[in-house]
Amino acid sequence: MNTSIRETLLGLLGGGATLSLNELAAQAGLPAGELRAPLDALCAEGALVLTRKKRYARPQTVGLIPARASAQRNGALTACPLDGSPAMRMRERGGERALPGDQIFVRLYRDGECELAQIVARARTQLAAFLRIETRRKGRRGAAQTCVTGVPCDRRIRHVIEVEGAEDAHNDDIALLAIDRYPERSEPMRAHVVRLLGAGSDMRARLAAIAEEHGFPTAFPDEALRQAGRMSEPDEADFAGREDLRGRMLFTIDGPFSKDFDDAVSLERAEDGSWLLGVHIADVSHYVRPGSPIDREAQRRGTSLYLPGLTVPMLPEALSNDLCSLMPDTDRLAMSLIMTVRDGRIVDHHLARSVIHSRARLTYDGVNRLFDGEEEAVPAEVRPALADMRALAIELRRRREAAGAIDLDLPESEFTLDEANVPTDVFLAPRGEAERLIEEFMLAANQTVAALARDTGTPLVYRVHEAPDPDRIRALSAFLAGLGLNFRLGAAAHPGLLQNVLERTRDLPAAGAVARMVLRSMQRARYADQPLGHYALAMRDYCHFTSPIRRYPDLTVHQMLGRLIDGESSAAQAAKMAVLADQCSAREQEAALAEREADDLMKARYMAGRIGCAFEGAVSNVVDWGFYVMLDNGVEGLVHVASLDGHFEFDAARCQLIRRTPKKIFRLGDRVRVRVERADVDRMEIDFLLEEDAP
């Protein structure tokens, strides 16, 4: 859309104006026909709305709130305003029915509820579903008919689907469906089979369904694959104009199963004694040009998706696992940032396109074993550099901590899988010193690049984390007070105060619950076109630069930096950054939902084979219908209040359940022993019984 026409239309409809097409044309001095497409585009993105009287207006002018539809697992719909306001319970009146992720307009109703007014844009054209095949007969002598319906794998969608094109399917198969008709009050959904994903009992098929449900296709378009297939190994022609860093001692450190190595590190001493820290990132922008088939697909995905036993990459594997991967003993194209570090402070930097040659592919486990004294865990030639890197990482971390950076350090669950992708073990994987070392170096690089973009006026997709809402900080203070912990946080808490809470409660039984509550008190990090700062990291400037293989914002940052290095103007790109930032934020959120859903699925499947087994854990949350217990392996389940012996009351202020006679209290952090009563793989729910109350 022409930027000037867009601004003209938005300006004419400011100040509460509502105008028809002809009125807009007259005031803009343009033919009505030239305005139809721009107006349609503005309505499609939610900037304008067309009323029933065929007049255009800003949404707020007619009392509409732009939002995104969301849903709980029981199907209850909520509207999440795009301005970040709290979610509202949503009622549906009229024909259309919203699905999770749809862009919508709502009208404020009462008591914090809202009403669906209009569906602006559908979030999905496909979904995954379990197929239910039934044979029905019309009347006693009627011919038998096979009827196929679909039950969405996404349990938030409660609409049954009429399915066509399932001739080769079996009952309970999982299929990817293309939506032919969206649900309405009086009409069901209709869809046809795109392809079968596998049997409902197949864990790989279930994981593929989760990926597809959240908009991460498990197959690439043919044109993207063809383009990737035409690319070849870099040669001397590709090295021209690049800094040759192949003689430097640099290497990668990643997980044991990683295939896409997008960052390598190096460290040397300058003549004045300063450190020269090198962070070398795969130059994906050399291969993925804006507007190309691969670029369009990468932007649509927004990020790679990592599920247990299933990786859905953002780029075709010919790039992600080969040409763009910084494999050892191989020449690779990179974007290298050399930072001069003195006393833990970055005092200078140099950014350039480069060609590098990684000396080793190290793992976190191997480097951690080296730091624990096992010298043979890594090759001898990299040990001196690792010793220096260890010391520098400690300096950088101390300076960040002094600035007030928050370190939640919540370990995540990992799985051991058998050949059928069924989990045989679940365990928590804490971060070691090697993981923290790489984290510090990547944080330093991201901060340096963001500051460079600000100083040079380069348009960028920044990574921002705004200060918490004062109401949430007050809620956190009340929560801590209920635990008998009194902290003076204030309405505008400095991040150092929240880090102080974490440090002072680290050894308490409720430490895990406190850390999760601190996390909930903060806003969600997102992408933006302006450098709004990063609250949790206590940084003024921050962006994502270090993972262009697996995150589209990083690839965009590389493209903008390439223009800066080449001396090209980026002014024309500035207008795209805001829309791109919103898209990337939405895709990141979908990836987080998919990964959490996959973890819940695998945990439920693991516990389904352990009904009646006893485990130890800690009370992780207390609600009026019971309390949740997190086992030592990270699996969480509910002990329902109805299963407890006696009458318990919920004390919301202290977040505990109390039985008066005989006296019994369940608090956050209490250690308990439970037995597995139920594990529903379809609903991804786990129920526990206290061991002494178990039958």
Short mmCIF file of all heavy atoms in Angstrom, two decimals, residues 84 178 195-196 198 391:
data_model
loop_
_atom_site.label_atom_id
_atom_site.label_comp_id
_atom_site.label_asym_id
_atom_site.label_seq_id
_atom_site.Cartn_x
_atom_site.Cartn_y
_atom_site.Cartn_z
N GLY A 84 -2.30 -4.82 24.90
CA GLY A 84 -1.71 -5.43 26.08
C GLY A 84 -2.57 -5.38 27.32
O GLY A 84 -2.13 -5.84 28.39
N ALA A 178 -7.95 -28.98 5.66
CA ALA A 178 -8.11 -27.62 5.15
C ALA A 178 -9.54 -27.18 5.41
O ALA A 178 -10.49 -27.90 5.07
CB ALA A 178 -7.79 -27.57 3.66
N ARG A 195 -3.66 -34.22 4.21
CA ARG A 195 -2.86 -35.44 4.28
C ARG A 195 -3.04 -36.07 5.66
O ARG A 195 -3.38 -35.39 6.64
CB ARG A 195 -1.38 -35.18 4.00
CG ARG A 195 -0.65 -34.38 5.05
CD ARG A 195 0.84 -34.28 4.69
NE ARG A 195 1.62 -33.61 5.70
CZ ARG A 195 1.77 -32.31 5.79
NH1 ARG A 195 1.18 -31.53 4.91
NH2 ARG A 195 2.51 -31.78 6.75
N LEU A 196 -2.81 -37.38 5.70
CA LEU A 196 -2.89 -38.11 6.97
C LEU A 196 -1.54 -38.01 7.68
O LEU A 196 -0.49 -38.18 7.06
CB LEU A 196 -3.25 -39.58 6.72
CG LEU A 196 -4.62 -39.83 6.08
CD1 LEU A 196 -4.80 -41.32 5.79
CD2 LEU A 196 -5.74 -39.32 6.97
N GLY A 198 -0.92 -39.81 10.68
CA GLY A 198 -0.62 -41.08 11.32
C GLY A 198 -1.72 -41.50 12.28
O GLY A 198 -2.74 -40.81 12.43
N ALA A 391 36.75 -17.00 32.75
CA ALA A 391 37.03 -15.82 33.58
C ALA A 391 36.29 -14.60 33.05
O ALA A 391 35.72 -13.81 33.83
CB ALA A 391 38.54 -15.56 33.61
#
